[in-house]
Amino acid sequence: MCGIVGYIGQREAYPILIKGLKRLEYRGYDSAGVAVLENDDIDLIKCQGKVSNLEQMVLEAGTPKGTMGIGHTRWATHGPPNDVNAHPHTSENGNVVMIHNGIIENYGPLREELIKRGHTFKSETDTEVLIQLIDNIQQNNDVTLFESVRIALNEVIGAYAIVVMDKNNPNQLIAAKKGSPMVVGIGQKGEYFIASDATPIVEFTKNVVYLEDEEIAIVDRNDGLKLVSISNHEKTPYVQELELHLEALEKGGYEHFMLKEIYEQPRSIRDSMRGRIRPDTGHVELGGIRDYIQKFVNAKRIIMLGCGTSWHAGMVGEYLFEDLARIPVEVEYASEFRYRNPIIYEDDVVIAISQSGETADTLAAIELAKSKGATIIGICNVIGSSIPRATHAGSYTHAGPEIGVASTKAFTAQVTVLTLMALHVAHQKGSITSSRFHRLLIELNDIPNMVETVLKQSDKIKYISDIYKDVPNALYLGRGYNFPVALEGALKLKEISYIHAEGYPAAEMKHGPIALIDEEMPVFVVAPRAGSYDKIVSNIQEVKARKGKIIAIITEGEERIKEMADHTIEVPDVDESLMPLITVIPLQLLSYHIAVMRGCNVDQPRNLAKSVTVE
C-alpha cells in the first residue's frame, strides 16, 4: 500500500522524489519522508501526515542537495502513524537507509535476535528490523550491500518491496520485491527511477522493467542495471514500454480525481469495448482469452475472486454468466478463499478481478487455485502488474489510471469486460438466442451514451445529496442484477463520507433491516422497470408505510414509483443485464457530493489506500 520512489542519475534527486510522492500519495498518506545522499552524508527528513507536511518541513530545513535519493509515503501497518515510524528508516550507525512496502511476518523473532546481538530500535516497525538485519550482515560478514540485502531477504518471511541506499556506496541503489509491486525506469545514461508503480516514472521515461518476485535490482551509475535472484542467479532484464500518459495522472480541471474518474466513464467503458465488439456483424473478440474459450464452454463452474468493489463486479458477473451462458458461478472474497480449504476442480475456470493487479489477497487466492489445476483468467486495469503475470490468460479493462481511492470507473470497466466475456461464451455455447445476442450487443455499444445522459443530472443529484448529507445511516436496496449495485452504492458512501450504510437484496429487508426504518432513515432503492419490478414496488411501499425516505433510481418515464418516492433519479431504459452499468452512476455521484458537503477528503479517505498489497 505504501508509495515508494527512488532516483539515481545526474539531476537533483529531491524535486523528482517529492513530485513522485505526490503522485503516489493515493497509496498511503499517514506519513512521508525522503533521504538524499549529499556530500557523503544522508540528509533524512520525515514526518507524520501528508506529503504537504513533508514539503513544509523541507521548506523550513532547506532543500536536500544530491543526485541520489529515496522517498516514501506510508500506510501504517506495524506501529501507528508518527514521525518515528515514518520511512525512511536507518541502521543504528546511520550509514544505511531503506524504504519498504509490505509486511515482514517474522519480524518479532528477528527483532529479538538482533536485540541479543546488541541492536537497539527506535521505531515499532518491521521495516527497521529488516534494515538492522541488513546492516548487521554487512558489518559482521564483510560483504557488499547487495550481498547483505540478498542474505537478509533469505531470512525473512512475508511480503516486501524495498529500496536500500548506503552512504558509503554513492553510485548504487538496491531494490527488491516479493509480493509487492516494484518497477525500475531506465532514463538517460546512468539514470534510473524506482517506484512502487509507474505513475512517478512516466514523466521521465517510457522504458521500464517490472521486477518479479524474489528479484533484486542493482542500479549503478557506472555499471547500469543488473537483476539477480535472492538465490544468486543472474537474470536478463525485460524492458517494456509504458502505455501511460502524463495527462491521465492530472485532475484536468476537476476538483477531485474521483469526480474526474466518474465523468471519464463514457470513455473508459468505450475503451474497454474498443476492438472487442462489432454490433453490426454480431461479433465479440477477446484476444486475451481466445485460446481458453473452450475452457469456458466446457466449464462446470466458474469462480469469481475479488475484494471490495471488484467483488461487487464479480457478483454482477455471476448474474451474467448464469443468465446468459448458463454456467454455475460462485463469487468469493479473495481474502477468505484460501483460508477455508476450498474445493477446486481442474475443470474450474477462476476469474480474478483487480483494478491494480497487485491485490495481495487476490494474488494468494490465484496461486492456490493454480496449484489445484484450475484455469485462471484475469481482469485487470494495470498493464504489467502482478495478476496478469500470474494468470493463464485474461483481459485488460483499459480504464486508464484510477487515482481516487474509491473505485468508480474501475467498476464499470470490469462489468463491461465481464459482460463481453459472458456474451462471448454464451454465443459460443449456443445458450443465448441469436436475436437476443445481437440486441444486447447493440445496447451495450450504446451504454457510453446512456452514461453521459445520467451524468447530466449531477445538479439534481447534488440537490438530493444536500438533503441527506448529515444522516448517520442509510440503506441501499436492489433486486437481481441491481443487488450488487446496491452493495456498491453503500460501499461508496461508507468509504468517502463515513456514513454507515448497508446494501441488501430488497426482499431481505423484511428479515431484519426493516426494524431500522423510521422517518430519519434514507433508503436508496435501485428500481428500474426491468427485472422484478412489481416486487420492488412492494418493498418501497413497505418502507413508506414506516415513514422511511425513498430515493429511487428509476427508468425514464416511470410514474408508479415516482408517485411514492421522495426523490427520483431517472436513467435510460436498457436490458436488465446491462442495467448495473447505468444505475451505479447516480449512486457514485450521490456519494461524491455528500462527502464533499461533509468536508471529507474524497480522494484520500481516512484509513484507506488504493492498492491493498499487504494482508
Side-chain angles (χ1 to χ4, degrees):
M1 285 192 186
C2 307
I4 283 174
V5 60
Y7 174 76
I8 183 171
Q10 297 79 40
R11 315 184 208 196
E12 285 293 322
Y14 174 75
I16 294 169
L17 299 178
I18 200 69
K19 185 177 289 186
L21 292 184
K22 289 177 181 177
R23 294 233 171 93
L24 288 169
E25 197 166 14
Y26 70 98
R27 297 183 65 97
Y29 34 84
D30 293 334
S31 57
V34 293
V36 176
L37 187 61
E38 180 180 3
N39 298 325
D40 298 324
D41 199 10
I42 293 174
D43 193 350
L44 174 63
I45 304 174
K46 60 180 183 174
C47 64
Q48 181 181 349
K50 298 184 180 296
V51 174
S52 58
N53 297 30
L54 176 64
E55 282 188 290
Q56 184 60 38
M57 283 192 70
V58 169
L59 189 64
E60 295 169 1
T63 303
K65 301 293 183 182
T67 57
M68 181 170 78
I70 56 179
H72 190 268
T73 180
R74 181 178 186 241
W75 188 85
T77 53
H78 293 78
N82 58 37
D83 292 356
V84 175
N85 289 330
H87 296 216
H89 287 280
T90 64
S91 58
E92 280 186 88
N93 58 20
N95 289 342
V96 186
V97 61
M98 184 178 80
I99 50 180
H100 167 225
N101 179 20
I103 291 179
I104 306 302
E105 296 176 11
N106 63 334
Y107 85 103
L110 290 173
R111 182 184 177 110
E112 291 176 8
E113 177 59 31
L114 288 166
I115 289 172
K116 290 178 183 177
R117 298 181 189 179
H119 287 266
T120 59
F121 292 86
K122 298 175 182 177
S123 76
E124 301 171 63
T125 67
D126 54 340
T127 304
E128 190 184 6
V129 173
L130 180 53
I131 189 64
Q132 298 279 41
L133 177 63
I134 290 169
D135 185 58
N136 182 274
I137 292 169
Q138 188 176 22
Q139 297 301 319
N140 293 329
N141 295 276
D142 192 27
V143 294
T144 64
L145 177 63
F146 156 72
E147 191 64 15
S148 63
V149 170
R150 189 187 72 79
I151 294 170
L153 293 180
N154 276 284
E155 294 187 28
V156 303
I157 299 170
Y160 54 80
I162 63 171
V163 185
V164 186
M165 183 169 70
D166 184 348
K167 75 175 186 180
N168 296 316
N169 195 349
N171 291 312
Q172 193 176 89
L173 289 175
I174 305 292
K177 71 147 284 189
K178 179 183 179 183
S180 289
M182 180 72 77
V183 59
V184 178
I186 303 169
Q188 300 170 11
K189 183 175 176 60
E191 180 180 57
Y192 296 91
F193 307 84
I194 302 172
S196 46
D197 67 44
T199 54
I201 289 175
V202 65
E203 181 175 349
F204 304 102
T205 181
K206 291 285 189 178
N207 299 317
V208 299
V209 174
Y210 290 96
L211 298 193
E212 300 287 348
D213 277 354
E214 298 190 336
E215 281 186 348
I216 303 171
I218 306 167
V219 178
D220 194 287
R221 295 182 205 266
N222 304 314
D223 298 331
L225 170 65
K226 182 179 179 182
L227 289 186
V228 184
S229 70
I230 66 170
S231 56
N232 209 23
H233 293 102
E234 189 165 349
K235 306 180 80 171
T236 302
Y238 173 56
V239 181
Q240 301 183 48
E241 185 173 342
L242 282 176
E243 296 184 16
L244 181 64
H245 301 286
L246 185 60
E247 57 269 21
L249 305 177
E250 308 295 339
K251 290 180 182 176
Y254 288 90
E255 186 178 355
H256 298 96
F257 279 110
M258 182 180 177
L259 186 62
K260 177 194 176 194
E261 288 154 10
I262 289 173
Y263 273 86
E264 283 179 336
Q265 286 174 108
R267 180 197 57 75
S268 59
I269 293 171
R270 194 174 283 115
D271 286 350
S272 295
M273 292 190 288
R274 193 183 306 278
R276 294 169 169 173
I277 179 174
R278 288 286 304 276
D280 54 337
T281 60
H283 185 67
V284 174
E285 177 63 34
L286 291 167
I289 63 167
R290 184 185 295 117
D291 296 338
Y292 288 84
I293 193 66
Q294 210 56 40
K295 290 278 189 179
F296 276 102
V297 171
N298 297 332
K300 294 183 175 62
R301 178 177 67 164
I302 293 173
I303 299 173
M304 303 272 186
L305 295 174
C307 298
T309 289
S310 295
W311 186 78
H312 295 156
M315 289 191 68
V316 178
E318 177 181 21
Y319 284 92
L320 287 163
F321 272 94
E322 291 191 347
D323 179 16
L324 304 177
R326 308 306 297 153
I327 302 172
V329 178
E330 296 178 11
V331 185
E332 300 277 359
Y333 283 113
S335 54
E336 288 294 316
F337 183 68
R338 65 185 174 127
Y339 291 111
R340 63 173 182 77
N341 194 22
I343 299 169
I344 305 169
Y345 301 106
E346 290 187 359
D347 58 1
D348 285 339
V349 173
V350 176
I351 300 179
I353 308 169
S354 169
Q355 188 282 136
S356 68
E358 302 293 349
T359 311
D361 290 315
T362 306
L363 279 164
I366 286 170
E367 293 307 319
L368 173 61
K370 281 176 72 174
S371 72
K372 302 294 185 181
T375 298
I376 316 297
I377 304 297
I379 295 178
C380 181
N381 190 38
V382 181
I383 295 172
S385 55
S386 297
I387 285 177
R389 298 202 301 270
T391 53
H392 294 110
S395 296
Y396 287 110
T397 53
H398 300 302
E402 189 178 64
I403 306 299
V405 167
S407 279
T408 50
K409 65 177 180 175
F411 175 79
T412 49
Q414 289 165 353
V415 171
T416 299
V417 171
L418 284 165
T419 304
L420 290 171
M421 281 187 179
L423 282 168
H424 189 31
V425 174
H427 190 52
Q428 293 293 315
K429 279 189 69 175
S431 59
I432 185 174
T433 64
S434 179
S435 60
R436 188 182 183 202
F437 177 72
H438 283 81
R439 178 170 57 82
L440 287 176
L441 287 187
I442 291 169
E443 290 194 11
L444 180 61
N445 193 57
D446 198 38
I447 287 290
N449 297 327
M450 297 182 186
V451 172
E452 288 177 349
T453 299
V454 179
L455 290 170
K456 291 176 182 177
Q457 300 182 66
S458 183
D459 287 344
K460 179 180 182 179
I461 295 169
K462 187 175 182 179
Y463 169 79
I464 297 170
S465 301
D466 189 46
I467 296 171
Y468 297 102
K469 68 180 184 299
D470 296 319
V471 298
N473 302 286
L475 283 178
Y476 286 71
L477 303 178
R479 297 189 80 127
Y481 278 94
N482 285 300
F483 163 49
V485 175
L487 293 175
E488 176 63 10
L491 177 62
K492 286 290 141 312
L493 192 67
K494 281 184 280 195
E495 282 181 311
I496 62 171
S497 73
Y498 319 137
I499 294 173
H500 174 251
E502 296 295 337
Y504 283 93
E508 282 296 301
M509 184 180 59
K510 294 189 292 293
H511 296 275
I514 200 167
L516 299 170
I517 302 295
D518 60 20
E519 61 273 12
E520 302 297 326
M521 175 66 79
V523 182
F524 298 87
V525 187
V526 188
R529 194 160 39 227
S532 306
Y533 177 73
D534 289 335
K535 297 292 186 183
I536 206 159
V537 168
S538 297
N539 298 137
I540 290 172
Q541 290 170 330
E542 290 162 352
V543 173
K544 291 303 295 180
R546 289 154 182 86
K547 300 182 179 179
K549 304 295 184 183
I550 294 290
I551 305 94
I553 313 299
I554 63 171
T555 306
E556 286 175 340
E558 173 57 44
E559 296 297 332
R560 191 173 171 192
I561 293 177
K562 186 179 287 188
E563 292 174 359
M564 293 184 288
D566 296 272
H567 309 279
T568 56
I569 303 165
E570 296 187 11
V571 298
D573 194 10
V574 71
D575 189 271
E576 182 185 11
S577 62
L578 305 180
M579 264 296 173
L581 291 166
I582 303 297
T583 53
V584 74
I585 305 299
L587 299 184
Q588 294 172 348
L589 285 169
L590 277 162
S591 298
Y592 170 79
H593 288 308
I594 287 172
V596 170
M597 291 172 184
R598 289 168 65 90
C600 300
N601 189 331
V602 173
D603 287 335
Q604 298 172 357
R606 67 187 183 205
N607 302 331
L608 295 176
K610 184 65 179 174
S611 304
V612 184
T613 58
V614 296
E615 286 192 75

